[in-house]
Amino acid sequence: FQAEKETYAKALEAEAKKLKAEIQEDCKRFDESLVELADARMKTDYEVFELELYKIKLIQAVAQEEDDIATKAVLKTHLEEMTARREGTSRAVREYQEEVT
């Protein structure tokens, strides 16, 4: 009866070692898989942030273009006003010169 107990105990110990090794291997594979997933997540996050930065730059470029268009319109209006004033002044000078001569 004692021999059977020892045989059974050895069998249980062997089974326990086998299960422990399997569990360790499963944990190792899980950890490796987790590292791969973390790397993939980091790469994906990087790409998303890169696209968001690109989007922000595009929005800034559009805003700058709109600002440039508005400034151009103001300057064009100011140029037209100055041209009209110059023409009026030139006309007044000619009229004055005609009166004087």
Side-chain angles (χ1 to χ4, degrees), residues 7 13 17-20 31 37 41 43 46 56-57 83-85 88 90 93 98:
T7 305
E13 284 179 24
K17 284 181 182 180
K18 180 182 170 190
L19 290 174
K20 184 176 180 181
D31 289 344
L37 289 172
R41 169 71 187 265
K43 183 181 178 195
Y46 176 81
I56 290 168
K57 287 183 178 183
T83 302
R85 284 178 64 188
S90 295
V93 167
E98 289 175 5

Side-chain angles (χ1 to χ4, degrees), residues 19 37 47-48 52-53 56 59 64 74 81 93 96 101:
L19 290 174
L37 289 172
E47 291 171 357
V48 167
E52 287 177 354
L53 182 60
I56 290 168
I59 290 169
Q64 183 64 49
V74 168
E81 291 171 0
V93 167
Y96 177 75
T101 56

Side-chain angles (χ1 to χ4, degrees), residues 10-42:
K10 286 182 182 180
L12 288 177
E13 284 179 24
E15 183 68 21
K17 284 181 182 180
K18 180 182 170 190
L19 290 174
K20 184 176 180 181
E22 287 178 11
I23 289 171
Q24 287 176 339
E25 185 61 32
D26 288 344
C27 287
K28 182 180 175 186
R29 280 196 309 269
F30 176 80
D31 289 344
E32 290 170 355
S33 174
L34 195 60
V35 168
E36 288 175 13
L37 289 172
D39 288 345
R41 169 71 187 265
M42 190 180 335

Side-chain angles (χ1 to χ4, degrees), residues 69-101:
I69 290 169
T71 301
K72 183 179 175 182
V74 168
L75 290 173
K76 183 178 178 183
T77 302
H78 188 64
L79 177 63
E80 289 170 354
E81 291 171 0
M82 291 292 114
T83 302
R85 284 178 64 188
R86 186 188 70 190
E87 289 172 0
T89 303
S90 295
R91 194 175 322 111
V93 167
R94 277 195 308 272
E95 289 173 3
Y96 177 75
Q97 286 176 341
E98 289 175 5
E99 285 180 22
V100 171
T101 56

